[in-house]
Amino acid sequence: MASKGSDSNRQQQPPPPVSIEIKATQDQFFVWREFVWGGIAGAFGEGMMHPVDTLKTRLQSQIIMNASQRQKSIPQMLRTVWVGDGLKGFYRGIAPGVTGSLATGATYFGVIESTKKWIEESHPNLGGHWVHFLAGAIGDTLGSFVYVPCEVIKQRMQIQGTSSSWSSFISRNSLPVKPRGDMYGYYTGMFQAGSSILKEQGPKGLYAGYWSTLARDVPFAGLMVMFYEALKDLTDQGKKKFPQFGVNSSVEGLVLGGLAGGLSAYLTTPLDVVKTRLQVQGTTIKYKGWLDAVGQIWRKEGPEGFFRGSVPRVMWYIPASALTFMAVEFLRENFREKGSDNNNVVSTLSIERKRSSVHEVREN
């Protein structure tokens, strides 16, 4: 009798919570997917728009390279790069640019979703827009450890152009090219540039303008996420009122991402100018720090100096952000459908387990 009672007790025990384990695994997989898709999307956007970024860097740094000459306009700089370097000149520094964007995109999109959930749970009193701002800022800050050295290498390679044009520039301006000289030597590639900067200036050289980069990118990343989510809310309200005009999430990401990126880029252009000047000056210390750079630009160039290169910056970020958000939304949409199918399987398993356990109790 005792053994029979113990057998019935064992039969009445509830089944193990397999659905919880499967759900946890799916959540972890979702986070890793965000890292991968964010990295791919970031590298894709940078690769497509690198020539525009080269134009922007040349415009913002020309006062360091040619302080005595009149500053060139966008068409003039475009012609200068084309005549001096050809098509190759616009793609100088693309390897470190893509590498940095790969790291930033991965951390940006990989951290942002989990960070939003954590902030909403730990600080429920914060408004939705502040949550989006903080999530974007945290994600971008984590990526800066890889992004900043890549940005320094990329921008120095961009202003050099090809080896022939760089040699011509050095000879025209009679600049000594040697360690601790007025200007750094020619960089043949990303790794050679990194090792050269590390040898001549140490880690400080690779992280030149680090705090100015954070001062630019943290507000930019926060604003872009905040604007994107706000525009998505407006779009969702519009879909409810006018369902016949609904579009898929990829097109939505393309349009809203471009608007959010362009607006955020323009508002943070002054911070980008300061960062670029600090990073390309090399061993010739024209600016002693962030505040000194701000003061000198204001005194010598006025408000116009802070928005130098704003047009190509916005021209870069509108399509780059549009392509990035479109790629992420496309990948999310396709994998979300597969994930929802898996969730249905999990819920069916849970229901079947519950039904089977109820039948066992009734039979006993």
Side-chain angles (χ1 to χ4, degrees):
M1 292 292 289
S3 61
K4 199 171 185 180
S6 62
D7 290 341
S8 67
N9 288 335
R10 279 198 299 270
Q11 290 177 354
Q12 292 179 14
Q13 289 179 355
V18 292
S19 61
I20 296 175
E21 295 175 3
I22 297 174
K23 183 67 170 63
T25 305
Q26 286 178 347
D27 288 341
Q28 293 173 359
F29 183 56
F30 172 77
V31 172
W32 280 110
R33 279 208 321 259
E34 292 289 300
F35 271 96
V36 173
W37 300 148
I40 293 172
F44 176 68
E46 165 67 26
M48 293 289 289
M49 300 307 300
H50 186 79
V52 182
D53 183 62
T54 298
L55 185 64
K56 185 240 6 161
T57 302
R58 290 282 193 103
L59 285 166
Q60 290 181 343
S61 59
Q62 59 182 324
I63 194 170
I64 295 177
M65 310 301 294
N66 300 293
S68 60
Q69 297 181 11
R70 185 173 176 269
Q71 302 301 292
K72 295 177 181 177
S73 63
I74 295 174
Q76 290 172 335
M77 183 60 74
L78 190 66
R79 184 177 182 279
T80 298
V81 177
W82 179 259
V83 172
D85 303 319
L87 188 62
K88 291 189 296 183
F90 290 100
Y91 284 93
R92 277 283 291 172
I94 191 171
V98 169
T99 303
S101 294
L102 186 74
T104 304
T107 54
Y108 187 72
F109 288 100
V111 172
I112 194 170
E113 291 297 327
S114 55
T115 303
K116 279 197 297 187
K117 292 178 183 178
W118 173 73
I119 294 175
E120 287 171 351
E121 291 173 1
S122 59
H123 300 84
N125 295 329
L126 282 175
H129 294 320
W130 277 112
V131 171
H132 298 147
F133 183 92
L134 290 172
I138 292 171
D140 200 84
T141 301
L142 292 176
S144 66
F145 296 106
V146 176
Y147 173 73
V148 172
C150 290
E151 183 79 352
V152 171
I153 296 169
K154 179 194 76 172
Q155 291 190 331
R156 293 193 183 184
M157 293 178 70
Q158 283 175 322
I159 65 172
Q160 286 184 336
T162 60
S163 58
S164 58
S165 64
W166 182 246
S167 300
S168 176
F169 168 78
I170 293 297
S171 62
R172 285 197 314 269
N173 293 274
S174 302
L175 295 175
V177 181
K178 57 183 180 179
R180 308 297 174 190
D182 289 341
M183 191 54 64
Y184 33 85
Y186 186 76
Y187 300 135
T188 58
M190 181 175 73
F191 294 107
Q192 185 270 335
S195 61
S196 177
I197 295 170
L198 190 64
K199 181 180 178 180
E200 294 178 13
Q201 299 177 262
K204 186 179 178 180
L206 285 174
Y207 283 90
Y210 178 78
W211 295 111
S212 62
T213 302
L214 286 187
R216 178 201 67 173
D217 287 351
V218 168
F220 170 80
L223 286 171
M224 186 164 66
V225 176
M226 188 175 71
F227 288 147
Y228 183 74
E229 295 292 343
L231 290 169
K232 281 191 74 173
D233 291 341
L234 289 174
T235 305
D236 290 339
Q237 293 176 10
K239 286 180 181 178
K240 292 177 183 178
K241 292 182 179 180
F242 308 100
Q244 67 272 21
F245 296 110
V247 295
N248 62 39
S249 60
S250 299
V251 176
E252 190 176 286
L254 181 73
V255 176
L256 302 186
L259 290 173
L263 183 57
S264 304
Y266 181 77
L267 293 175
T268 55
T269 298
L271 302 172
D272 184 55
V273 171
V274 176
K275 178 209 71 94
T276 301
R277 300 277 181 91
L278 289 171
Q279 287 182 330
V280 301
Q281 65 180 346
T283 54
T284 304
I285 306 300
K286 180 179 178 64
Y287 304 112
K288 297 177 182 178
W290 195 85
L291 291 176
D292 181 55
V294 171
Q296 286 198 47
I297 294 170
W298 178 262
R299 289 192 302 272
K300 297 178 181 179
E301 303 172 59
E304 182 184 353
F306 286 106
F307 285 91
R308 198 174 299 280
S310 60
V311 173
R313 175 170 164 80
V314 172
M315 285 172 57
W316 188 93
Y317 268 106
I318 287 178
S321 301
L323 292 170
T324 299
F325 277 100
M326 181 192 71
V328 169
E329 292 293 350
F330 172 79
L331 295 166
R332 280 176 177 172
E333 184 180 28
N334 283 273
F335 277 83
R336 187 181 293 132
E337 290 176 359
K338 294 181 180 180
S340 62
D341 292 340
N342 292 335
N343 288 336
N344 291 334
V345 173
V346 171
S347 59
T348 304
L349 285 172
S350 302
I351 293 170
E352 292 299 326
R353 278 294 189 93
K354 289 178 181 177
R355 285 178 179 172
S356 62
S357 62
V358 169
H359 287 311
E360 288 176 1
V361 172
R362 285 178 179 176
E363 288 175 359
N364 293 327

